[in-house]
Amino acid sequence: MTYRHHWPADVELVVVQVQVDSETARERVRARGCARDLSKLADWDTFWKTAEANECRWQDGRRLVFDNRTDGITADKVARALETPTA
C-alpha cells in the first residue's frame, strides 16, 4: 500500500480500528450536540446499519483495534499500543 501512495519506504503502516456499540455511539453523538447529527439521531437504526457495514479494507500493515465503549481512546493508550513515548 505504501508504494501506491508514494510514502517513504521506512514508513510503518498502522491501521487503527475503533470499535463501539450502537448505544454508546448514539449517546456520544447526542452529547456532542452538532446540527449535522440531527438526521443520524432521527433515524439511528438506518444510520447505524450503514455505519456497521462500512468495514475496514486495509489489509497491509499493523492493525490496532481499540474498544471505545468505556473510557474512550486516549493519546496515552495509542502511544502504549504503538510502543512509543507520548509527547
Side-chain angles (χ1 to χ4, degrees):
M1 183 61 66
T2 57
Y3 69 91
R4 282 186 31 204
H5 296 286
H6 307 290
W7 293 334
D10 61 343
V11 169
E12 178 186 13
L13 176 61
V14 178
V15 177
V16 177
Q17 184 175 345
V18 179
Q19 298 174 334
V20 69
D21 62 279
S22 175
E23 288 308 308
T24 302
R26 184 185 344 211
E27 263 316 298
R28 290 182 181 163
V29 168
R30 186 178 289 128
R32 105 179 140 190
C34 293
R36 70 174 185 262
D37 295 330
L38 293 176
S39 63
K40 297 171 192 168
L41 292 168
D43 190 7
W44 185 259
D45 291 337
T46 299
F47 168 76
W48 190 250
K49 183 177 178 181
T50 302
E52 283 186 304
N54 188 14
E55 67 184 61
C56 179
R57 296 185 201 155
W58 286 77
Q59 300 300 316
D60 298 338
R62 181 164 47 141
R63 183 178 300 263
L64 301 178
V65 180
F66 290 96
D67 181 344
N68 197 20
R69 288 177 288 189
T70 55
D71 297 331
I73 300 168
T74 64
D76 191 50
K77 288 180 183 179
V78 173
R80 282 196 309 264
L82 291 170
E83 300 177 356
T84 59
T86 56

